């Protein structure tokens, strides 16, 4: 390919200009990688954190419970629902839980909040934010053991310490108001003030008795997935199974619309800033290529005079853009790799900027900014920038093909 | 706002029993048995089968002061209904306690509401008592073990002091309740609620002896939260009738509207 070699040589006739343009593409790669990588990492962290706050990535809930929650609506045969879900390879864990509203009271005060009744045998620190945030005391030993684990701010407001009484009042399976007493066994601190001031964990078997639930009844089965990106597909697969016909299978987007909304908003602003970066990179390439075409008018005129077709010139400039893009992407990969390794291993500590309240859409965020790229994101970035480089080379290439031979041969 | 899970305010409001007193159901030994007998006699003395009362409620908090006149009826322990007479703006507002539930009826919007568990913590008409007190009141006798902790002359009065300790499984927030009655007439003088660290949280006091329903009874009951001593809720009784004729239908939800 003579054209190919010609283009490559043309590119290096002006080394400095080519290198500067290549670096602008390379910085485009780096910026896109940082933004996308931060997003990929951050959203995954948030979605996983959100999932560990009770509902999981996927929630199996009684029909209509999500729209109008009530402890009257409940699932039967929950252990079977759990076992069926665990058969799926992408479901790494499943927990039967009861969640509902309650009023917590001590001698000093009463506060409305939420309770989540759990079976300690099914729970793990990794799938339950509250358990991994216990700062004092411990979780009740089993589903039938007395105890309550309360948020640190709830404990403060009710003036509770380990071993103190809490009376909780809620409505049972028949809509009757019921109360029961538990003694504080643990206190958790998540850092999300909304949760710390209103949430409590209770032993599920004891709550079932209070609520007049049968031992196989609960309000939800929370599923944790190996990767949050499998949520929709898994949700659809499970929803189609006959065993879940009398339940609702919800994705985290449906069970936590606040979080989904916040992420969607954040994603779109991320896209806008990436678009601006892309425009800058495109302007750089366009500028370089146009310059090199315009200054070679005379040369193109000569080439056409000796038999080069306008189409050939178009192709020549496009190939130059192609090689420029390739060089840019290579440099980009070379300079981004160490940066990516640093950012994914160490990250940037932003805790000073966030202050104390580190939640986002009601979900705890990590104050250390880190990046993690999904495979599809890497491919998207590289292909996107490559396409961008070719597109911005198109206009200069078209101009090159339109050089009027006679005019351009005149010496100015 | 005070959480009061064991208050007997409804009974007090309707003024039938000043106190719903707990028998010592499981405790054995001489003192608890005697305590429960005396308490039961106090209870019998003050409780009619049904009642009708007119009372004024005064509430003073840091932010506001309000006065309301209420008319109340009760039958047994489970059924109580009262409505607002004054102020005019709230006239006709009805609260019904039937078993475990509380219903309110607002004449302005012509709506009946059954209070949900989340609303139970709310202050009842801005007072220092909560809706929750209503529901818990009837459960009192199952919840405490009573014993006499003092008997004799104190401050020139011959009194009996009872200490009520909640049973371990009872859904009661208090650490203990101390009740003082006059030994001769079984008239209650005060009732003090302590938290689990045995710190006083709130006090009920009964004063202003007056002839009500054929007997000398305290006409003023005052609730004072200990951490806000300048605040109080006070009930002043104008009129009391006991053992009146009243049907169960009177306390039905469908009857709310006609009040």
């Amino acid at each position: 390919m003579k054209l190919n070699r010609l283009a490559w040589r043309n590119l290096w006739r002006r080394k400095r200009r080519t290198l500067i343009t290549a670096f602008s593409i390379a910085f485009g790669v780096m910026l896109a990688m940082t933004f996308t990588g931060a997003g990929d990492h951050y959203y995954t962290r948030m979605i996983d954190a959100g999932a560990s706050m009770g509902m999981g990535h996927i929630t199996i809930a009684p029909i209509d419970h999500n729209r109008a929650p009530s402890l009257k609506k409940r699932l039967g045969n929950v252990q079977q629902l759990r076992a069926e879900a665990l058969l799926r390879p992408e479901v790494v864990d499943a927990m039967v839980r009861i969640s509902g509203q309650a009023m917590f009271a001590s001698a000093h005060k009463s506060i409305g909040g939420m309770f989540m009744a759990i079976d300690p045998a099914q729970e793990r620190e990794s799938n339950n934010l509250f358990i991994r945030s216990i700062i004092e005391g411990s979780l009740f030993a089993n589903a039938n053991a007395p105890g309550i684990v309360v948020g640190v701010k709830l404990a403060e407001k009710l003036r509770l310490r380990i071993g103190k009484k809490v009376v909780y009042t809620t409505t049972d399976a028949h809509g009757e108001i019921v109360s029961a007493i538990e003694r504080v066994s643990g206190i958790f601190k998540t850092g999300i003030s909304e949760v710390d001031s209103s949430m409590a964990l209770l032993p599920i078997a004891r709550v079932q008795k209070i609520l007049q639930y049968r031992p196989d009844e609960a309000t939800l089965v929370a599923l944790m997935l190996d990767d949050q990106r499998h949520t929709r597909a898994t949700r659809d697969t499970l929803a189609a199974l006959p065993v879940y016909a009398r339940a609702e299978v919800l994705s985290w987007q449906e069970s936590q619309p606040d979080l989904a909304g916040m992420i969607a908003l954040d994603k779109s602003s991320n896209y806008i800033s990436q678009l601006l970066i892309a425009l800058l990179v495109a302007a750089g390439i366009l500028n370089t290529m146009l310059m090199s075409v315009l200054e070679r008018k005379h040369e193109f005129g000569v080439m056409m005079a000796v038999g080069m077709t306008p189409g050939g010139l178009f192709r020549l400039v496009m190939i130059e853009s192609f090689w420029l893009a390739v060089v840019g992407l290579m440099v980009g990969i070379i300079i981004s790799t160490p940066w990516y390794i640093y950012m994914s291993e160490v990250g940037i500590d932003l805790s000073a900027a966030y202050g104390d309240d580190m939640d986002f859409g009601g979900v705890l965020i990590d104050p250390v900014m880190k990046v993690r790229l999904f495979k599809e994101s890497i491919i998207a970035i590289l292909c996107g920038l490559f396409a961008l480089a070719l597109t911005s080379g198109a206009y200069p290439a078209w101009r090159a093909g339109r050089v009027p031979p006679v005019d351009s041969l005149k010496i100015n | 706002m005070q959480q009061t899970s064991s208050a007997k305010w409804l009974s007090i409001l309707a003024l039938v029993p000043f106190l719903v007193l707990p028998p010592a159901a499981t405790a054995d030994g001489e003192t608890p048995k005697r305590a429960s007998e005396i308490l039961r006699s106090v209870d019998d003395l003050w409780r009619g089968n049904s009642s009708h009362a007119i009372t004024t409620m005064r509430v003073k908090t840091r932010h506001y002061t309000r006065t309301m006149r209420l008319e109340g009826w009760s039958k047994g322990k489970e059924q109580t209904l009262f409505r607002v007479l004054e102020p005019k703006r709230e006239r006709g507002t009805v609260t019904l306690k039937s078993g475990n539930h509380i219903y309110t009826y607002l004449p302005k919007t012509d709506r009946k509401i059954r209070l949900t568990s989340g609303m139970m913590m709310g202050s009842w008409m801005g007072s220092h008592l909560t809706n929750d007190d209503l529901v818990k009141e009837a459960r009192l006798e199952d919840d405490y073990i009573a014993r006499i902790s003092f008997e004799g002359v104190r401050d020139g009065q011959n009194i009996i002091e009872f200490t009520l300790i909640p049973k371990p499984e009872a859904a009661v927030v208090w650490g203990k309740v101390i009740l003082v009655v006059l030994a001769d007439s079984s008239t209650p003088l005060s009732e003090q609620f302590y938290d689990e660290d045995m710190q006083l949280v709130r006090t009920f006091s009964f004063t202003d002896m007056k002839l009500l329903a054929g007997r000398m009874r305290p006409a003023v009951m005052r609730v004072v939260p200990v951490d806000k001593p300048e605040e109080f809720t006070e009930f002043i009784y104008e009129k009391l009738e006991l053992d009146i004729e009243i049907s169960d239908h009177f306390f039905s939800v469908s009857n709310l509207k006609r009040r």
Side-chain angles (χ1 to χ4, degrees):
Chain A
M1 287 290 283
K2 248 190 277 174
L3 218 52
N4 212 346
R5 191 182 296 173
L6 190 60
W8 180 253
R9 285 185 180 164
N10 275 342
L11 213 52
W12 298 103
R13 279 159 71 190
R14 295 264 192 170
K15 288 196 184 66
R16 202 176 348 168
R17 186 171 67 194
T18 302
L19 278 177
I20 288 172
T21 316
F23 268 99
S24 87
I25 298 173
F27 277 111
V29 172
M30 194 167 133
L31 283 174
M33 189 221 76
T34 309
F35 275 99
T36 314
D40 285 356
H41 175 264
Y42 187 58
Y43 302 140
T44 301
R45 286 285 308 224
M46 277 204 300
I47 293 162
D48 289 348
S52 73
M53 285 173 67
M55 308 297 279
H57 291 115
I58 294 179
T59 315
I60 298 164
I63 285 165
D64 209 34
H65 187 277
N66 193 45
R67 194 187 56 77
S70 158
L71 284 164
K72 280 189 201 173
K73 298 171 191 161
R74 54 203 191 273
L75 297 169
N77 225 347
V78 281
Q79 298 306 338
Q80 193 207 338
L81 297 183
R82 172 172 184 261
E84 290 282 340
L86 281 171
L87 292 178
R88 308 276 328 159
E90 59 272 30
V91 177
V92 291
D93 222 337
M95 291 78 64
V96 171
R97 292 167 175 166
I98 298 173
S99 107
Q101 291 192 317
M103 182 186 81
F104 302 102
S106 72
H108 298 276
K109 227 180 170 167
S110 64
I111 289 170
M114 297 284 295
F115 72 86
M116 194 167 90
I118 57 170
D119 180 355
Q122 291 178 4
E123 303 286 333
R124 239 170 283 165
E125 286 203 357
S126 60
N127 59 34
N128 192 317
L129 174 70
F130 311 110
I131 296 177
R132 67 170 176 261
S133 311
I134 290 178
I135 52 166
E136 213 183 308
S138 61
L139 189 67
F140 28 87
N142 58 60
N144 229 331
I148 181 170
V149 179
V150 296
V152 65
K153 290 197 176 164
L154 185 64
E156 247 165 58
K157 284 189 203 162
L158 296 178
R159 299 196 216 168
L160 297 172
R161 295 189 308 275
I162 301 291
K164 295 290 157 192
K165 290 198 280 193
V166 185
V167 171
Y168 65 95
T169 306
T170 186
T171 37
D172 72 5
H174 314 293
E176 298 291 316
I177 292 169
V178 286
S179 348
I181 190 163
E182 289 293 355
R183 286 181 183 272
V184 177
S185 63
I187 293 173
F188 68 78
K189 183 182 185 179
T190 60
I192 310 164
S193 76
E194 207 179 285
V195 170
D196 287 344
S197 61
S198 68
M199 186 79 195
L201 301 180
L202 287 163
I204 195 165
R206 287 168 72 86
V207 170
Q208 280 166 332
K209 265 176 229 147
I210 301 288
L211 295 182
Q212 308 225 8
Y213 279 27
R214 288 201 313 268
D216 68 341
E217 287 181 327
T219 63
L220 66 101
V221 182
L223 310 183
M224 301 299 282
L225 303 186
D226 53 353
D227 191 322
Q228 50 90 3
R229 287 174 294 163
H230 298 151
T231 303
R232 269 168 212 267
T234 312
R235 196 264 323 257
D236 294 343
T237 321
L238 290 177
L241 294 179
V243 68
Y244 302 118
R246 288 170 63 194
E248 248 173 13
V249 183
L250 303 163
S251 63
W252 63 266
Q253 287 96 333
E254 291 163 309
S255 63
Q256 292 173 291
D258 290 6
L259 180 62
M262 292 294 274
I263 289 179
L265 187 70
D266 202 71
K267 259 189 182 163
S268 53
S269 71
N270 197 343
Y271 284 147
I272 289 170
S273 42
Q274 299 225 37
L275 189 72
L276 291 177
I277 295 169
L279 277 177
L280 286 176
V281 172
I285 299 170
L286 182 72
N287 181 35
T288 309
M289 293 312 295
L290 199 58
M291 277 286 287
S292 84
V293 165
L294 291 180
E295 71 183 11
R296 284 185 290 166
K297 241 173 156 182
H298 184 75
E299 184 184 317
F300 289 155
V302 174
M303 287 170 82
M304 283 172 96
V306 297
M308 183 72 131
T309 58
L313 278 179
F314 177 85
R315 255 178 290 148
L316 175 72
V317 178
M318 281 308 282
I319 293 168
E320 286 177 23
S321 299
F322 169 83
W323 283 116
L324 187 61
V326 170
V327 171
L329 292 181
M330 298 299 262
V331 177
I333 289 167
I334 291 165
I335 61 170
S336 298
T337 308
W339 168 247
Y340 177 71
I341 291 170
Y342 174 79
M343 283 301 288
S344 60
E345 300 292 323
V346 185
I348 301 172
D349 191 345
L350 297 173
S351 47
Y354 282 120
D356 285 340
D357 215 10
M358 301 180 300
D359 60 316
F360 179 89
V363 164
L364 195 64
I365 54 166
D366 193 344
V368 178
M369 178 184 165
K370 283 190 176 179
V371 300
R372 169 197 163 184
L373 278 175
F374 295 138
K375 237 184 296 150
E376 55 265 35
S377 303
I378 298 176
I379 294 167
I381 290 169
L382 295 182
C383 291
L385 276 167
F386 194 74
L388 195 72
L390 287 187
T391 317
S392 15
Y395 174 69
W398 176 77
R399 278 292 297 262
R402 296 275 305 237
V403 174
V406 180
D407 283 0
S408 52
L409 282 175
K410 281 181 191 156
I411 295 164
N412 300 323
Chain B
M1 191 215 325
Q2 286 300 123
Q3 146 66 26
T4 60
S5 75
S6 66
K8 307 106 183 143
W9 69 274
L10 235 210
S11 325
I12 292 152
L13 242 196
L15 204 90
V16 190
F18 264 105
L19 297 153
V20 181
L21 295 164
T26 56
D28 37 26
E30 198 52 42
T31 325
K33 225 176 237 170
R34 200 173 144 245
S36 74
E37 271 161 27
I38 296 173
L39 283 176
R40 207 169 299 178
S41 75
V42 173
D43 197 13
D44 290 344
L45 218 73
W46 292 99
R47 176 187 290 281
N49 288 325
S50 58
S51 74
H52 172 224
I54 293 177
T55 177
T56 301
M57 178 175 81
R58 293 206 307 140
V59 182
K60 184 176 174 293
T61 72
R62 206 148 40 92
H63 306 290
Y64 57 88
T65 306
R66 72 184 309 198
T67 305
M68 288 180 118
R69 268 183 87 227
L70 307 160
E71 184 171 18
W73 294 263
S74 81
K75 188 171 184 182
K77 271 196 279 184
E78 296 292 327
Q79 293 174 315
T80 310
L81 182 147
F82 51 88
R83 66 175 178 142
V84 177
L85 300 175
E86 280 167 40
K88 220 171 190 173
R89 202 160 51 86
E90 287 172 66
R91 190 181 166 91
T93 303
V94 179
T95 304
L96 168 70
K97 179 214 163 186
S98 182
N100 246 1
H101 291 290
I102 299 175
Y103 303 86
T104 61
Y105 170 72
L106 302 171
K108 266 190 192 160
T109 51
D110 190 27
R111 294 211 69 155
K112 287 179 277 195
I113 304 164
R114 193 177 99 178
L115 298 194
T116 62
S117 59
M119 293 153 90
M120 300 304 281
M121 62 180 273
S123 159
W124 176 73
M125 292 202 188
S127 72
H128 290 91
L129 298 165
T130 68
N131 292 311
D132 189 46
D133 296 335
L134 267 170
V135 177
K136 300 265 171 87
E137 173 261 335
R139 217 177 287 153
L140 246 187
E141 26 190 320
D142 307 326
D143 287 349
Y144 291 92
I145 294 168
R147 66 182 173 87
I148 294 170
S149 48
F150 181 83
E151 229 180 323
V153 179
R154 187 189 281 171
D155 298 330
Q157 286 174 306
N158 193 12
I159 58 130
I160 303 175
E161 181 194 88
F162 297 92
T163 300
L164 313 180
I165 306 285
K167 293 178 188 173
E169 285 302 305
V172 166
V173 293
W174 312 113
K176 67 171 176 183
V177 178
I178 290 185
L179 167 72
V180 178
V181 302
L182 280 177
D184 306 328
S185 59
S186 300
T187 304
L189 291 178
S190 73
E191 197 174 7
Q192 295 173 314
F193 296 83
Y194 291 80
D195 70 9
E196 279 193 280
D197 300 325
M198 298 306 164
Q199 298 292 307
L200 187 61
V201 176
R202 73 171 179 186
T203 309
F204 285 13
S205 60
F206 304 86
T207 51
D208 291 29
M209 300 293 281
K210 196 172 136 184
L211 192 67
L212 285 167
R215 267 193 68 134
M216 290 303 281
R217 298 166 203 261
V220 176
M221 190 205 75
R222 183 186 264 234
V223 183
V224 180
V226 169
D227 56 346
K228 287 173 243 160
E230 73 285 0
E231 297 192 2
F232 64 84
T233 294
E234 200 171 57
F235 295 96
I236 305 157
Y237 296 91
E238 292 173 20
K239 188 184 154 195
L240 172 70
E241 292 169 287
L242 292 180
D243 296 324
I244 53 163
E245 282 292 313
I246 196 159
S247 73
D248 281 343
H249 177 70
F250 186 85
F251 299 98
S252 67
V253 179
S254 55
N255 199 33
L256 271 179
K257 234 173 162 174
R258 261 172 278 158
R259 294 308 319 152

Short mmCIF file of all heavy atoms in Angstrom, two decimals, chain A residues 42 348-359 365-369:
data_model
loop_
_atom_site.label_atom_id
_atom_site.label_comp_id
_atom_site.label_asym_id
_atom_site.label_seq_id
_atom_site.Cartn_x
_atom_site.Cartn_y
_atom_site.Cartn_z
N TYR A 42 -17.82 3.88 41.25
CA TYR A 42 -18.66 4.58 42.19
C TYR A 42 -20.10 4.05 42.18
O TYR A 42 -20.70 3.77 43.21
CB TYR A 42 -18.60 6.04 41.74
CG TYR A 42 -19.25 7.05 42.59
CD1 TYR A 42 -18.87 7.22 43.92
CD2 TYR A 42 -20.22 7.88 42.05
CE1 TYR A 42 -19.46 8.20 44.67
CE2 TYR A 42 -20.80 8.87 42.81
CZ TYR A 42 -20.42 9.03 44.12
OH TYR A 42 -21.01 9.99 44.86
N ILE A 348 -7.92 8.67 45.35
CA ILE A 348 -7.72 9.99 45.94
C ILE A 348 -8.68 10.13 47.11
O ILE A 348 -9.88 9.90 46.97
CB ILE A 348 -8.00 11.10 44.89
CG1 ILE A 348 -7.07 10.94 43.69
CG2 ILE A 348 -7.85 12.48 45.52
CD1 ILE A 348 -7.41 11.86 42.54
N ASP A 349 -8.15 10.50 48.26
CA ASP A 349 -8.98 10.63 49.45
C ASP A 349 -9.70 11.98 49.43
O ASP A 349 -9.08 13.02 49.48
CB ASP A 349 -8.11 10.52 50.70
CG ASP A 349 -8.95 10.37 51.95
OD1 ASP A 349 -10.17 10.63 51.87
OD2 ASP A 349 -8.41 9.99 52.99
N LEU A 350 -11.03 11.92 49.33
CA LEU A 350 -11.80 13.15 49.25
C LEU A 350 -12.55 13.42 50.55
O LEU A 350 -13.47 14.21 50.59
CB LEU A 350 -12.81 13.07 48.10
CG LEU A 350 -12.24 12.91 46.69
CD1 LEU A 350 -13.35 12.68 45.69
CD2 LEU A 350 -11.45 14.16 46.30
N SER A 351 -12.17 12.73 51.61
CA SER A 351 -12.99 12.83 52.82
C SER A 351 -13.08 14.26 53.35
O SER A 351 -14.08 14.65 53.94
CB SER A 351 -12.46 11.89 53.90
OG SER A 351 -11.07 12.04 54.02
N ALA A 352 -12.06 15.06 53.11
CA ALA A 352 -12.10 16.44 53.57
C ALA A 352 -13.21 17.21 52.87
O ALA A 352 -13.87 18.07 53.46
CB ALA A 352 -10.76 17.11 53.34
N ALA A 353 -13.45 16.88 51.61
CA ALA A 353 -14.46 17.61 50.84
C ALA A 353 -15.88 17.21 51.20
O ALA A 353 -16.81 17.99 51.08
CB ALA A 353 -14.22 17.40 49.35
N TYR A 354 -16.05 15.98 51.66
CA TYR A 354 -17.41 15.50 51.92
C TYR A 354 -17.95 15.90 53.29
O TYR A 354 -19.14 16.07 53.46
CB TYR A 354 -17.47 13.97 51.81
CG TYR A 354 -17.51 13.47 50.41
CD1 TYR A 354 -16.52 12.63 49.93
CD2 TYR A 354 -18.55 13.83 49.57
CE1 TYR A 354 -16.56 12.16 48.63
CE2 TYR A 354 -18.59 13.36 48.27
CZ TYR A 354 -17.59 12.54 47.80
OH TYR A 354 -17.65 12.07 46.53
N GLY A 355 -17.08 16.02 54.27
CA GLY A 355 -17.57 16.29 55.62
C GLY A 355 -18.08 15.01 56.24
O GLY A 355 -17.70 13.92 55.82
N ASP A 356 -18.96 15.17 57.22
CA ASP A 356 -19.38 14.01 58.00
C ASP A 356 -20.44 13.16 57.32
O ASP A 356 -20.42 11.95 57.44
CB ASP A 356 -19.94 14.48 59.36
CG ASP A 356 -18.82 14.90 60.27
OD1 ASP A 356 -17.68 14.49 60.00
OD2 ASP A 356 -19.08 15.65 61.22
N ASP A 357 -21.35 13.83 56.66
CA ASP A 357 -22.50 13.12 56.12
C ASP A 357 -22.16 12.60 54.73
O ASP A 357 -22.19 13.33 53.77
CB ASP A 357 -23.68 14.07 56.06
CG ASP A 357 -24.97 13.35 56.34
OD1 ASP A 357 -24.91 12.17 56.76
OD2 ASP A 357 -26.04 13.95 56.15
N MET A 358 -21.79 11.35 54.65
CA MET A 358 -21.27 10.84 53.41
C MET A 358 -22.27 9.96 52.69
O MET A 358 -21.95 8.88 52.24
CB MET A 358 -19.98 10.08 53.66
CG MET A 358 -18.93 10.95 54.31
SD MET A 358 -17.44 10.06 54.60
CE MET A 358 -17.98 8.75 55.67
N ASP A 359 -23.52 10.41 52.64
CA ASP A 359 -24.43 9.59 51.87
C ASP A 359 -24.90 10.30 50.62
O ASP A 359 -24.84 11.50 50.50
CB ASP A 359 -25.62 9.13 52.72
CG ASP A 359 -26.41 10.27 53.27
OD1 ASP A 359 -25.81 11.24 53.75
OD2 ASP A 359 -27.63 10.20 53.21
N ILE A 365 -21.38 6.57 50.75
CA ILE A 365 -20.38 6.56 49.70
C ILE A 365 -19.00 6.50 50.32
O ILE A 365 -18.78 6.90 51.45
CB ILE A 365 -20.48 7.79 48.77
CG1 ILE A 365 -20.45 9.08 49.60
CG2 ILE A 365 -21.72 7.72 47.92
CD1 ILE A 365 -20.21 10.29 48.77
N ASP A 366 -18.09 6.01 49.50
CA ASP A 366 -16.72 5.87 49.93
C ASP A 366 -16.02 7.22 49.72
O ASP A 366 -16.06 7.76 48.62
CB ASP A 366 -16.07 4.79 49.03
CG ASP A 366 -14.75 4.34 49.58
OD1 ASP A 366 -14.21 5.04 50.44
OD2 ASP A 366 -14.27 3.29 49.13
N PRO A 367 -15.41 7.79 50.74
CA PRO A 367 -14.79 9.10 50.54
C PRO A 367 -13.53 9.03 49.70
O PRO A 367 -12.97 10.06 49.33
CB PRO A 367 -14.48 9.57 51.96
CG PRO A 367 -14.38 8.33 52.75
CD PRO A 367 -15.30 7.33 52.12
N VAL A 368 -13.05 7.84 49.38
CA VAL A 368 -11.86 7.72 48.53
C VAL A 368 -12.32 7.50 47.09
O VAL A 368 -13.07 6.58 46.80
CB VAL A 368 -10.98 6.54 48.99
CG1 VAL A 368 -9.79 6.39 48.07
CG2 VAL A 368 -10.53 6.75 50.41
N MET A 369 -11.89 8.43 46.21
CA MET A 369 -12.26 8.29 44.81
C MET A 369 -11.35 7.27 44.16
O MET A 369 -10.13 7.41 44.16
CB MET A 369 -12.13 9.64 44.10
CG MET A 369 -12.44 9.56 42.63
SD MET A 369 -12.15 11.15 41.84
CE MET A 369 -12.13 10.68 40.13
#
